[in-house]
Amino acid sequence: RSHQFIFGAASLMIVGAFVVQTLAGKSSTALSWALPLILIMSLAAARSAMLRGIGKVLQGQWPEQLLRPALLIALAVVWAASGHAIDPTVAVALTGLAATVALAVTVAQWEFAKPKDLAGAVPVYRDMAWLKAVVPFALSTGVLVISAQISLVILGAIRNPEEVAIFRVASQTAQLCALGYTAAIMNISPR
């Protein structure tokens, strides 16, 4: 059911963003490259969660947390070394390529790791139970996202972009303090 939801929600967001972009008359090649990332990264997150849920915590995390950023850096270095400039459109296209490779690795990992009992299993959907369970998770995740980004939004409204960028780097660096906590939660939460 989660895959159906991801495809439906991502399709609505992609089409909606495209329509808004077209109606606003602000066509952007970078945005056009970015829109498929909504689907790609959502599917990658779902596959990662599936792997973590069956106890394959490292397999579920390394494609998104390690492979995708490393591949993006490698692609950017190769692109720049070949004498090309990295503008926003190229950056988003390279991100899309790295994310697609990471998703492919996660899908392949799932095919090798999934329990054999799933091969002939018929899906059983309990929509109301799922909806009741997903609302608290969605709300808590939404609060976490807002909490993590609200300082940037507020600072962006009162300061110039350079100061916001410096603050962003400082806040991201400070998050290294929570690395142990995050690693523990990723291992404990599937259980």
Side-chain angles (χ1 to χ4, degrees):
R1 187 65 81 200
S2 64
H3 282 82
Q4 293 168 346
F5 177 78
I6 288 170
F7 276 104
S11 297
L12 285 174
M13 286 186 242
I14 291 168
V15 170
F18 182 77
V19 168
V20 168
Q21 171 184 302
T22 304
L23 291 176
K26 297 192 176 198
S27 182
S28 167
T29 307
L31 180 62
S32 297
W33 278 100
L35 291 177
L37 283 170
I38 297 170
L39 178 60
I40 293 167
M41 294 180 90
S42 297
L43 288 172
R47 290 297 170 142
S48 172
M50 290 163 62
L51 285 164
R52 290 192 323 263
I54 61 168
K56 307 288 185 184
V57 177
L58 290 177
Q59 285 180 325
Q61 291 180 10
W62 82 267
E64 282 299 306
Q65 302 299 321
L66 183 63
L67 177 63
R68 184 171 53 89
L71 187 56
L72 176 57
I73 291 169
L75 290 170
V77 167
V78 168
W79 184 264
S82 67
H84 296 95
I86 298 181
D87 59 18
T89 301
V90 170
V92 174
L94 294 177
T95 300
L97 180 57
T100 302
V101 170
L103 172 61
V105 168
T106 306
V107 168
Q109 286 181 321
W110 172 253
E111 289 304 314
F112 287 115
K114 72 180 173 184
K116 301 204 183 322
D117 297 342
L118 290 180
V122 177
V124 176
Y125 299 110
R126 294 184 181 102
D127 294 331
M128 290 313 294
W130 182 79
L131 284 173
K132 286 178 185 175
V134 81
V135 170
F137 285 118
L139 290 175
S140 65
T141 302
V143 168
L144 286 174
V145 169
I146 291 169
S147 173
Q149 303 300 325
I150 194 71
S151 59
L152 289 172
V153 173
I154 293 171
L155 189 60
I158 59 175
R159 299 303 228 180
N160 62 41
E162 292 80 15
E163 290 177 283
V164 175
I166 291 169
F167 175 76
R168 174 72 172 158
V169 170
S171 67
Q172 287 294 105
T173 303
Q175 287 184 4
L176 289 174
C177 296
L179 189 59
Y181 168 77
T182 303
I185 290 298
M186 288 296 210
N187 283 296
I188 294 169
S189 65
R191 291 165 177 82

